[in-house]
Amino acid sequence: MEKQSSDRSLLHRAYNLLCVGELYLAAALFMLIVVLVFLSALTRKIGIPIQWTMDVTKLCFAWLAFLSGDIALRSGVLPGIDMLVLKLRPTLRVILGYVVKICMFLLLVFFVYYGFKLASSNVKRTFQTLPISYSLVTMSLPVCSVLMMFSMISNTVDDLKKKTHR
């Protein structure tokens, strides 16, 4: 029992470290995008455009969008329309919540499967101004979908723990 508790604690710490890393990476990507867009606009205005900035911005934006989606999902701040749901009985709300989570999880599985297929088909495609593969952009979808799946599992386990402790 103690070994199992220790393993869970280690897994929990690793997941928390991953979550903190995601936050810092998302913040760094956002700041990099702001700097690159500003630099690109400034150099274009003075007549010396830097071509590669838009390609790097595209790469950063793809990763930032999906990482931010995972952060929002984990934090429970995704917007929802609950006008009709609030009129349901509490048990139906809970059931509907789990149905929605299952549908979201299946959609993420779909994104992972076809996202890796898309990324592998884009390996030979390169950016216009950079000699790197465009699959680095398309990999953001399946990788962040896996992260979202972890977040959904973690949130669901936490919810179930809260319900059993009541």
Side-chain angles (χ1 to χ4, degrees):
M1 180 71 174
E2 188 175 309
K3 171 77 170 137
Q4 187 179 12
S5 177
S6 173
D7 288 345
R8 267 193 236 143
S9 175
L10 183 63
L11 187 62
H12 189 67
R13 280 186 292 182
Y15 179 70
N16 285 340
L17 189 63
L18 175 72
C19 294
V20 170
E22 268 186 27
L23 281 171
Y24 281 114
L25 180 58
L29 288 172
F30 181 73
M31 289 189 299
L32 182 60
I33 289 170
V34 169
V35 168
L36 287 175
V37 169
F38 178 75
L39 182 65
S40 177
L42 185 65
T43 57
R44 192 177 307 123
K45 183 71 174 170
I46 61 173
I48 313 167
I50 302 173
Q51 300 298 327
W52 57 266
T53 56
M54 286 299 117
D55 284 342
V56 174
T57 301
K58 269 187 233 176
L59 174 66
C60 292
F61 187 77
W63 282 94
L64 176 63
F66 291 118
L67 279 174
S68 299
D70 181 39
I71 293 167
L73 178 67
R74 183 176 50 253
S75 304
V77 294
L78 290 176
I81 302 172
D82 58 0
M83 235 172 21
L84 299 174
V85 175
L86 290 176
K87 294 181 181 185
L88 297 174
R89 290 181 300 193
T91 52
L92 282 176
R93 270 189 244 158
V94 171
I95 292 169
L96 184 60
Y98 285 118
V99 168
V100 168
K101 284 181 181 183
I102 290 168
C103 290
M104 285 174 62
F105 196 85
L106 291 174
L107 183 64
L108 290 171
V109 169
F110 177 86
F111 287 161
V112 169
Y113 179 75
Y114 285 104
F116 280 121
K117 285 183 92 165
L118 178 64
S120 66
S121 70
N122 279 324
V123 168
K124 293 182 181 175
R125 179 182 172 195
T126 60
F127 284 93
Q128 292 177 357
T129 60
L130 299 172
I132 59 175
S133 175
Y134 199 78
S135 65
L136 287 175
V137 171
T138 54
M139 280 297 286
S140 62
L141 175 64
V143 169
C144 291
S145 293
V146 168
L147 294 173
M148 287 182 204
M149 291 165 78
F150 286 144
S151 294
M152 287 188 70
I153 291 167
S154 175
N155 287 351
T156 303
V157 167
D158 289 346
D159 288 347
L160 291 173
K161 281 182 183 177
K162 287 177 189 172
K163 288 179 184 171
T164 58
H165 283 89
R166 286 183 189 170

